[in-house]
Amino acid sequence: MKPQTETAARILLWLTVGYIVVLSAAAAAAPLLAPADPLLQNLPARFAPPGSPAYPLGADDFGRDVLSRIIYGARAALLVGLVSVGIALAIGLVIGLTAGLLEGPVDSALMLLMDAVLSFPTVLLAITVVSVFGYGLAQVMAAIGVIFSPLFARIIRAETLTLKHEPYVMSAYALGTPLRRIVAVHLLPNMLPKIVVQCTVAFALAIVIEASLSFLGLGAQPPQPSWGLMLRNARNYLFDAPWLAFYPGLAIGLTVFSFNLLGDLLNELLQIRR
Amino acid sequence: MKKLLLLVLAALTAGSMYAGGASEAAVAQAETLQFALSGNPNTLDPHATEGTLTFQVLKSVYDTLVEPDQDGRIVAALAESWRVSEDNLRWTFRLRDGVVFHNGDALTSADVAASFERLLEPAFGSPHAKELAALHEIRTPDRHTVEFVLDQPYSPLLSALATGWSAILPQRLIDAQHDFAARPVGTGPFRFEQWVRDNRITLTRNEDYWMPQAPQLSRVNFNIITEVAIQVQGLLTGDLDIIDMVGPTDIARIEQDPRTKLDVGLSSLVMVLAINTRREPLSELRIRQAINHAVDKQAILDVAYAGGEVIGTFMDYGDPYYVDFADRYPHHPDRARRLIAEAAPQTRTLDLVLPQNYEPHVRAGEMYQQMLSRVGLDVQIRLVDWSTWLSDVYAAGNFDLTVIGHTGKLDPDSRLSMFETGDNYVGWTHAQAAENIRAARQEADFDQRRELYRDVLELLAVEVPFVFVGTNYRHIAMRENVTGFHMDAKLDTYDLRRVRLR
Amino acid sequence: MGELVRVEGLSKVHYAAGLLKRRARVVRAVDDVSLAIRHNTILGLVGESGSGKSTLARAMLYLDPPTAGSVIIDGLDPAALSRSQMRQFRHRAQIVVQDPYAALNPRLSIAASVAEGLRNRGFPRRARERRVAELLEMVGIASRRARDNPQQFSGGQRQRVIIARALAMDPRFLILDEPVSSLDVSIQAQIINLLLDLKQRLALTYLFISHDLNLVAYMSDAIAVMKDGRIVEMGDAAEVIAQPHDPYTQMLFDNAPRLLDVRPGRI
């Protein structure tokens, strides 16, 4: 890489990290930062354009403050990312480690199950799950968690199979280290980079799926501020009030892009040379 | 009636003007109406379905003995006249002369009898059979006379016979087990030509139609288009002449465009926030009154339903039986708060169930939630799909509040009979109301019936098992050159007999 | 001094079951091996790569238990031991493996790696730290570097750390599986001298596995030659070198420079 491009890439990456930090802070401190109650309807202010004194990013079809809804929407997005990736990782760890450590028929059966889950189109499967278990953010998070678990299970299994034949793992076994500790000290930390990268990618995907399901009316339920739900409402006013679609769209795009870039950054940071 | 006459006159003048100029054949050639139908009908058999889409098409293929005119009154159609016996048990219809089915058969009383026998045949399983439960016998004294003999007086009969499912089919084809579901054959203004499923249904002019100067069009194409945006786009480009799906934000664009116009009329819907009176604290009248005072009905109509007329009871604004109770519980949040304070309910948390696929109702639900929270009621929104709504909310009563629109019927009995017992989804009934509903069903006189129903509607308006919000406007958009279009708000069907493309 | 290690009829068979093939393919990696090592002596084990030396080593320590045969080390038969007794066995026998670059967890400081066995033995933290410092000094690593990660050490230094890690268990028997084969020649000598020194100081017994005949001849009291999973020749080091009986051993010694230069491929 030329020094110039390297500098540019570095700046981009730090901008990304900056964005994610700001976003997380905004989500955490939403009640302090949001200028208004995101649910408060003010019918006289319907469709107030961006730049209006009380509505910096405009008001929606019920006269609700778009900026406040975007800020609170970050909560929903990050919550979905954290919880669904958390669920996926937890399931993936149990299945991946079991398959990788035991091998044999248990491994084959578990991986067949994981491949079966993976073979369905993700969004379609999420729609099916949510349709069966009911609409709502909690169901969406659970569905995404389950659907993403094979992504983690497969990586963790593959890493387990590789790492457990590493001489240092065999040495630990020879030293009488219990399995629990071998997993915690020797296996997990050494598969961490791959897991973390997978986490950021899955995080971004989860946000997209939540937005898609909410857009379809299956995810976040009104009047909860969610970017996907904001887009759903906005689609009726694309000509008359385009900002209603623009800001949540921008928020989704930037967030997804940032988490994907973060994945690349972490991948490089966490690599260890032998 | 005056309006109708004027229209006929206008049509006559227009016709004569054309007759003087270009050859009529050339004009007829050009007159194909492109109509946007909002979905694919499940069948084209009028006796077999309750689907509105079916009747939107079949209104142009079949006739009924009587039909509603543009003011909602019931007038002659295939029957040129009728009379009712003193005891209200015998209805005699005299059939119009010279009416011919599309297959060439002449209409006789045998066709009428065969049609209703088909509909009432238990094995056929028509969803409409129950509406003719009072019917004892159909007699055909001669080729042009049909007699309906009833077990007990039943005033809604005439409305039933004016509804699309009372279509008259040719006896010969009924006997021959003709596939009416796929290839309808009637006496209507247009002949069925072709049905390309999920694409289009085409009709051609019935040259032998009994109504003078009708139909005007040579062809009608029902284009099946399920997306609002595509319908609107088709209208703006001129590919479509009439569309019946118009989004709230398309209204201004269609009005501003000189090539298109909007037909705005009242729908026959009663938009409600239904209140489950079986549940605490909603069984308490003061809480229901508070909820009514908390709601800004006009705002709900404007924002969620693209405009409408505020009502105060369970009857749509345009109905002849409508009574104005709109001022009974005006928007008054302070009064709502006082009533709640007086009632001091155990819980202030309410479960508001919304039918997820009906966006206007969902939007209204968001507004109700906000309005009720301002008077101290904590409303939790729960969205469900349509089948769940029907089974869990409408049938099983598993809700505190829900939002829905009740469709209109030609006869008020269809609307109000649900309150005859408490076995309705809001769990409301009243002895006086039940008695009046039964009496009105047997009463023939319009004014007498109106009095009976007035009391029922007032009881509803006072006891408010609903917030009666209003009747919304419905919008049909068409090209500027379309004239003579009429939509029946109650039946949700289109009368294309006098439509012309100027 | 008597025997410390006795192996009788040890076999290790892999069943390579195919997904489609019904009948499993049988691979005899170690086939009916018997050997004995006297206390505080070195048995050199030579053979080409793939001859089953490392498999034999892992089977002897029950890291990858044998499919037949018995092992007794310092009076303990691991096949008859309970889980907790197995800890005792781990005290007595340790292994130092070939690749110092892969034998240390890259995410642990060398102190943590050396402390691992102490932790498993239940040493409290303070005692652990003290013992780690001693062990590092014993193998010639300055204890101030204890917190550094393996990446900061050379291959020879890493091999010293690995030896220290094994010594943390206070073993009586060490298997040295090609302990120097991936190191520079000058470094090799230092490690070999360290190992010989430790043997004397700590009264250790070694199974020294190598493909380097010169090295084996230099270090060992006895020599065993392995081919295709079997021991084809075993005896006093001087005797085996002077008068090999087995034709394979003869060929091995005749062609020593050419054959023995082939280094086993790294996995």
Side-chain angles (χ1 to χ4, degrees):
Chain A
M1 224 193 284
K2 285 183 195 160
Q4 246 177 330
T5 38
E6 201 175 326
T7 314
R10 192 153 294 169
I11 289 172
L12 188 61
L13 287 174
W14 285 111
L15 278 178
T16 300
V17 172
Y19 173 79
I20 290 171
V21 168
V22 168
L23 187 76
S24 312
L32 302 175
L33 286 175
D37 176 351
L39 301 184
L40 186 73
Q41 298 176 7
N42 180 15
L43 298 178
R46 294 181 74 201
F47 301 118
S52 312
Y55 302 98
L57 298 186
D60 72 2
D61 49 332
F62 291 125
R64 296 178 296 206
D65 181 37
V66 171
L67 175 60
S68 301
R69 288 179 72 75
I70 293 270
I71 291 174
Y72 273 88
R75 280 191 159 183
L78 295 183
L79 183 74
V80 166
L82 281 176
V83 174
S84 52
V85 169
I87 293 171
L89 182 57
I91 300 175
L93 271 175
V94 171
I95 292 182
L97 284 172
T98 309
L101 290 173
L102 293 183
E103 299 186 54
V106 177
D107 176 33
S108 307
L110 286 175
M111 285 304 114
L112 202 65
L113 178 72
M114 294 291 99
D115 286 347
V117 174
L118 266 188
S119 64
F120 287 99
T122 317
V123 174
L124 200 66
L125 189 57
I127 289 174
T128 314
V129 172
V130 172
S131 304
V132 171
F133 292 102
Y135 310 138
L137 219 48
Q139 286 88 336
V140 167
M141 293 190 288
I144 298 176
V146 171
I147 292 166
F148 278 6
S149 59
L151 298 178
F152 290 95
R154 294 222 297 194
I155 284 186
I156 290 163
R157 169 186 174 267
E159 286 288 289
T160 305
L161 283 177
T162 312
L163 290 175
K164 77 174 188 182
H165 293 119
E166 287 284 338
Y168 61 82
V169 176
M170 200 186 73
S171 300
Y173 186 51
L175 290 168
T177 306
L179 182 65
R180 203 164 10 92
R181 202 174 143 75
I182 288 183
V183 169
V185 175
H186 297 293
L187 298 184
L188 291 184
N190 284 295
M191 55 176 86
L192 196 65
K194 292 217 164 95
I195 293 179
V196 166
V197 171
Q198 188 66 38
C199 278
T200 56
V201 172
F203 199 100
L205 260 176
I207 289 175
V208 171
I209 293 176
E210 185 273 321
S212 312
L213 291 183
S214 295
F215 182 82
L216 294 172
L218 309 173
Q221 300 290 288
Q224 182 174 22
S226 137
W227 296 338
L229 202 55
M230 291 176 77
L231 274 183
R232 175 181 172 81
N233 274 347
R235 80 192 195 284
N236 292 320
Y237 312 104
L238 285 178
F239 290 100
D240 305 275
W243 62 89
L244 294 184
F246 178 76
Y247 293 112
L250 186 69
I252 294 171
L254 273 180
T255 307
V256 169
F257 179 69
S258 299
F259 275 99
N260 279 328
L261 266 185
L262 182 71
D264 294 343
L265 174 70
L266 289 176
N267 193 20
E268 283 182 24
L269 274 181
L270 296 173
Q271 281 306 330
I272 281 190
R273 283 171 295 111
R274 278 269 167 80
Chain B
M1 212 44 167
K2 209 180 258 175
K3 237 191 240 169
L4 193 145
L5 202 70
L6 274 172
L7 263 169
V8 173
L9 276 175
L12 276 170
T13 339
S16 60
M17 273 160 67
Y18 271 115
S23 100
E24 252 184 83
V27 172
Q29 199 71 39
E31 298 220 321
T32 297
L33 181 78
Q34 301 290 350
F35 197 107
L37 197 66
S38 55
N40 193 43
N42 57 348
T43 174
L44 289 180
D45 186 335
H47 294 162
T49 183
E50 294 180 291
T52 309
L53 291 165
T54 301
F55 298 109
Q56 288 177 342
V57 173
L58 293 186
K59 171 70 181 164
S60 293
V61 179
Y62 287 107
D63 287 306
T64 43
L65 289 175
V66 289
E67 63 187 15
D69 72 0
Q70 302 207 359
D71 298 321
R73 271 173 309 190
I74 292 181
V75 299
L78 289 182
E80 62 181 13
S81 66
W82 69 92
R83 59 172 196 281
V84 192
S85 66
E86 279 297 311
D87 58 4
N88 281 342
L89 288 176
R90 185 184 304 256
W91 296 65
T92 310
F93 294 84
R94 169 84 193 162
L95 296 185
R96 198 177 288 276
D97 252 337
V99 177
V100 178
F101 283 102
H102 298 155
N103 68 345
D105 294 359
L107 172 77
T108 70
S109 53
D111 297 309
V112 177
S115 296
F116 285 102
E117 276 155 15
R118 178 175 190 258
L119 195 148
L120 291 171
E121 169 61 45
F124 185 77
S126 168
H128 303 288
K130 61 182 185 297
E131 303 195 42
L132 293 176
L135 190 59
H136 178 75
E137 189 187 355
I138 302 172
R139 294 182 190 155
T140 53
D142 63 55
R143 276 174 63 81
H144 290 284
T145 308
V146 185
E147 274 182 13
F148 289 77
V149 182
L150 306 183
D151 287 327
Q152 53 184 318
Y154 183 64
S155 295
L157 178 71
L158 204 58
S159 297
L161 296 183
T163 309
W165 50 264
S166 290
I168 307 301
L169 282 49
Q171 183 202 14
R172 197 157 61 89
L173 294 187
I174 292 174
D175 292 346
Q177 303 280 316
H178 177 77
D179 183 12
F180 286 99
R183 302 194 60 80
V185 177
T187 57
F190 296 94
R191 299 163 178 275
F192 171 81
E193 187 178 87
Q194 195 189 16
W195 178 12
V196 183
R197 268 159 230 262
D198 291 309
N199 184 337
R200 65 174 186 276
I201 296 169
T202 54
L203 309 178
T204 58
R205 183 217 295 266
N206 175 9
E207 301 289 349
D208 303 321
Y209 194 57
W210 50 269
M211 185 181 277
Q213 299 296 328
Q216 301 277 345
L217 297 163
S218 57
R219 294 175 67 86
V220 177
N221 284 1
F222 287 101
N223 301 280
I224 295 161
I225 301 171
T226 55
E227 285 289 321
V228 189
I230 298 175
Q231 286 207 2
V232 172
Q233 212 51 44
L235 180 77
L236 294 175
T237 58
D239 293 337
L240 296 171
D241 295 311
I242 304 179
I243 63 173
D244 70 350
M245 291 171 89
V246 179
T249 55
D250 301 317
I251 291 171
R253 268 201 298 165
I254 289 165
E255 275 177 335
Q256 280 158 19
D257 196 317
R259 299 163 304 169
T260 56
K261 62 184 177 185
L262 212 54
D263 178 281
V264 184
L266 276 169
S267 76
S268 64
L269 289 169
V270 172
M271 297 296 186
V272 296
L273 172 66
I275 304 172
N276 190 346
T277 63
R278 293 187 193 89
R279 293 266 184 102
E280 296 299 331
L282 303 169
S283 55
E284 159 77 46
L285 178 60
R286 281 177 296 188
I287 297 295
R288 299 203 300 271
Q289 290 172 327
I291 291 173
N292 268 268
H293 280 307
V295 170
D296 181 349
K297 297 179 178 179
Q298 192 64 56
I300 299 273
L301 286 172
D302 290 345
V303 175
Y305 297 118
E309 297 290 340
V310 172
I311 58 174
T313 188
F314 201 73
M315 189 58 67
D316 59 286
Y317 189 83
D319 196 281
Y321 290 90
Y322 175 74
V323 189
D324 184 9
F325 294 114
D327 293 333
R328 183 75 63 163
Y329 296 105
H331 180 46
H332 202 316
D334 284 335
R335 206 174 291 167
R337 277 181 218 109
R338 262 203 312 279
L339 282 163
I340 293 171
E342 282 170 30
Q346 293 273 315
T347 172
R348 290 170 195 229
T349 303
L350 299 174
D351 170 37
L352 171 58
V353 188
L354 302 175
Q356 197 256 349
N357 53 324
Y358 290 102
E359 203 171 346
H361 294 326
V362 174
R363 293 166 56 75
E366 285 189 64
M367 297 180 71
Y368 289 126
Q369 182 190 41
Q370 178 88 174
M371 289 169 181
L372 293 175
S373 82
R374 284 178 183 166
V375 301
L377 293 174
D378 176 20
V379 173
Q380 303 290 329
I381 288 181
R382 180 158 63 90
L383 271 80
V384 297
D385 61 32
W386 182 234
S387 61
T388 307
W389 191 90
L390 286 175
S391 59
D392 202 41
V393 175
Y394 195 71
N398 184 12
F399 71 104
D400 288 336
L401 302 172
T402 189
V403 180
I404 201 68
H406 284 269
T407 52
K409 299 283 161 55
L410 281 177
D411 193 277
D413 182 65
S414 323
R415 237 198 226 298
L416 296 173
S417 60
M418 68 190 269
F419 300 115
E420 204 174 326
T421 70
D423 187 23
N424 52 66
Y425 74 118
V426 292
W428 183 84
T429 189
H430 188 284
Q432 184 63 51
E435 197 186 311
N436 282 19
I437 289 165
R438 273 191 291 277
R441 194 175 295 143
Q442 308 202 349
E443 176 59 58
D445 181 66
F446 174 79
D447 292 328
Q448 291 289 325
R449 294 188 82 197
R450 198 169 194 282
E451 278 311 302
L452 290 166
Y453 284 131
R454 190 201 170 283
D455 293 344
V456 177
L457 293 176
E458 181 161 20
L459 282 166
L460 281 161
V462 169
E463 299 215 341
V464 282
F466 299 85
V467 177
F468 303 104
V469 178
T471 298
N472 66 318
Y473 298 126
R474 55 121 190 97
H475 300 86
I476 306 275
M478 57 192 84
R479 299 291 290 183
E480 183 55 38
N481 62 341
V482 177
T483 61
F485 176 78
H486 170 68
M487 175 180 180
D488 188 288
K490 283 281 154 71
L491 300 180
D492 241 344
T493 57
Y494 311 112
D495 187 346
L496 304 178
R497 287 179 290 194
R498 294 175 195 84
V499 172
R500 302 208 54 148
L501 303 173
R502 255 189 292 116
Chain C
M1 280 287 186
E3 268 173 22
L4 187 79
V5 177
R6 168 159 290 277
V7 172
E8 299 261 15
L10 189 141
S11 292
K12 177 72 189 178
V13 179
H14 297 296
Y15 297 94
L19 191 66
L20 298 173
K21 275 178 283 182
R22 257 294 157 87
R23 223 146 52 120
R25 201 163 56 89
V26 177
V27 180
R28 295 187 179 279
V30 176
D31 193 4
D32 193 21
V33 166
S34 298
L35 54 83
I37 309 173
R38 277 173 294 122
H39 179 60
N40 203 15
T41 65
I42 300 178
L43 172 66
L45 181 64
V46 289
E48 288 174 272
S49 74
S51 58
K53 298 175 306 224
S54 292
T55 308
L56 173 62
R58 285 202 298 273
M60 282 172 66
L61 295 193
Y62 271 63
L63 299 174
D64 201 359
T67 43
S70 71
V71 177
I72 292 174
I73 296 174
D74 199 14
L76 289 179
D77 174 3
L81 296 179
S82 70
R83 191 181 276 250
S84 60
Q85 288 170 318
M86 200 64 190
R87 290 218 187 107
Q88 289 300 314
F89 180 74
R90 300 274 177 236
H91 281 208
R92 300 186 191 192
Q94 278 295 309
I95 183 166
V96 171
V97 295
Q98 173 188 0
D99 184 355
Y101 292 88
L104 289 170
N105 184 337
R107 281 174 203 281
L108 293 182
S109 68
I110 57 158
S113 284
V114 173
E116 185 161 0
L118 300 173
R119 178 191 293 271
N120 296 340
R121 292 169 67 187
F123 273 56
R125 197 169 64 88
R126 296 284 292 280
R128 216 155 60 209
E129 282 170 8
R130 208 165 44 236
R131 182 72 181 133
V132 166
E134 286 171 15
L135 286 164
L136 289 176
E137 296 291 347
M138 194 187 290
V139 297
I141 301 283
S143 58
R144 61 182 158 77
R145 299 199 59 192
R147 290 181 187 284
D148 291 350
N149 277 13
Q151 294 83 341
Q152 287 152 282
F153 293 89
S154 69
Q157 287 172 315
R158 288 186 207 196
Q159 197 60 289
R160 290 171 188 267
V161 173
I162 292 164
I163 292 166
R165 180 176 64 184
L167 295 179
M169 299 299 281
D170 292 328
R172 290 169 57 79
F173 174 55
L174 264 186
I175 296 181
L176 307 166
D177 187 0
E178 307 263 13
V180 295
S181 59
S182 54
L183 301 176
D184 285 352
V185 179
S186 60
I187 311 290
Q188 285 190 7
Q190 292 174 16
I191 298 294
I192 292 298
N193 288 334
L194 172 66
L195 286 168
L196 289 174
D197 178 42
L198 289 170
K199 172 182 171 256
Q200 288 317 118
R201 281 170 61 191
L202 304 174
L204 293 170
T205 304
Y206 293 161
L207 174 65
F208 181 81
I209 301 174
S210 180
H211 60 268
D212 185 337
L213 274 175
N214 294 325
L215 207 51
V216 171
Y218 170 68
M219 286 191 70
S220 305
D221 301 303
I223 291 180
V225 181
M226 214 169 162
K227 180 179 190 297
D228 297 337
R230 293 171 161 274
I231 301 272
V232 293
E233 175 130 18
M234 181 156 59
D236 208 56
E239 282 176 26
V240 172
I241 294 165
Q243 299 175 306
H245 297 295
D246 186 83
Y248 173 71
T249 315
Q250 288 169 7
M251 186 197 72
L252 208 60
F253 280 69
D254 291 346
N255 303 313
R258 185 159 54 80
L259 254 176
L260 301 181
D261 251 11
V262 181
R263 295 195 169 182
R266 293 201 9 213
I267 314 155

